[in-house]
Amino acid sequence: MKDTFKHRGKRNHLVEVIQQKGIEDKRVLEAISKIPRHLFMDSSFEDHAYQDKAFPIAANQTISQPYTVARQSELLEIQADEKVLEIGTGSGYQTAVLIELGCKVYTIERQHELFKKTKLFLPKLGYRPKRFIYGDGYKGLPEEAPFDKIIVTAGAPFIPKDLMAQLKVGGLLVIPVGEKQQTMVRLERVSDKEFKKENFGAFRFVPLLENKNH
Ligand code: SAH
């Protein structure tokens, strides 16, 4: 698990690339500049780790494109110590960005293989989510609700009602919605019963699937 001068140089270049694509939040850019993305991927992809692209990880899933991770993180407007629910732990890269932003992360993954792997791996880099859950993110995590922020990192065919119900008033839910291609949607819970919806353009994610998978 090495992070060399060369890796850091490539990472600084990646930060410039995503900045040019429109990422403005300095704290998000700083998080990306710190996290050794190459260690979250299979070593055969190591040379490509600092390209602004998604790559395959275990269980037919992907590590999201850095621009996408940065955009979702920026849209969440994270403040220190907030309680954040993440659906789709995957490689744990987005989880690490959230932890760098200073929040308490509760993260759920439905692929058992990825859940096991990432649960062991993240603490080795010093990243410790509050809770790692193997489960179905459509249901959220009712026993820890309400959350200040909720992020979904897989394409959802619709916005799960349970996730809306687990958001604090004033809280934000950032979720890519759609089947083949997704629109990045941000919901703000403005009162107990009312949500404000904003759209932030087209993205492509692996699908949010129901139930757990062994
Ligand atoms: N943020 C991750 C993205 C991984 S891809 C990263 O950058 O590495 C999306 C992840 O969502 C996959 O790991 C997939 O298994 C997971 N996923 C899909 N449906 C889910 C569900 N219902 N509950 C929890 N995780 C789910």
Side-chain angles (χ1 to χ4, degrees), residues 32-145:
I32 304 276
S33 77
K34 278 191 189 161
I35 304 170
R37 187 178 191 244
H38 63 284
L39 299 178
F40 290 74
M41 297 165 44
D42 195 279
S43 55
S44 54
F45 294 112
E46 187 175 332
D47 285 348
H48 308 289
Y50 295 104
Q51 292 179 9
D52 188 25
K53 283 186 184 163
F55 285 100
I57 52 174
N60 266 329
Q61 302 303 317
T62 55
I63 176 170
S64 300
Q65 187 182 338
Y67 170 77
T68 304
V69 172
R71 189 70 183 123
Q72 285 196 280
S73 305
E74 183 170 75
L75 289 173
L76 280 172
E77 297 178 1
I78 303 283
Q79 304 300 318
D81 291 331
E82 280 184 335
K83 237 174 131 170
V84 180
L85 176 65
E86 179 191 40
I87 310 300
T89 318
S91 68
Y93 182 72
Q94 171 78 70
T95 320
V97 172
L98 294 170
I99 293 172
E100 284 285 354
L101 293 173
C103 56
K104 297 180 211 131
V105 185
Y106 298 73
T107 186
I108 308 182
E109 173 56 54
R110 73 177 283 282
Q111 294 281 357
H112 198 250
E113 182 186 353
L114 273 173
F115 163 76
K116 274 193 307 189
K117 194 170 166 189
T118 304
K119 192 175 183 211
L120 275 178
F121 166 72
L122 269 187
K124 288 186 189 158
L125 293 185
Y127 294 117
R128 291 186 178 76
K130 271 268 167 194
R131 284 186 67 186
F132 254 115
I133 293 110
Y134 166 54
D136 178 3
Y138 272 94
K139 302 189 180 78
L141 194 59
E143 71 267 30
E144 298 283 1

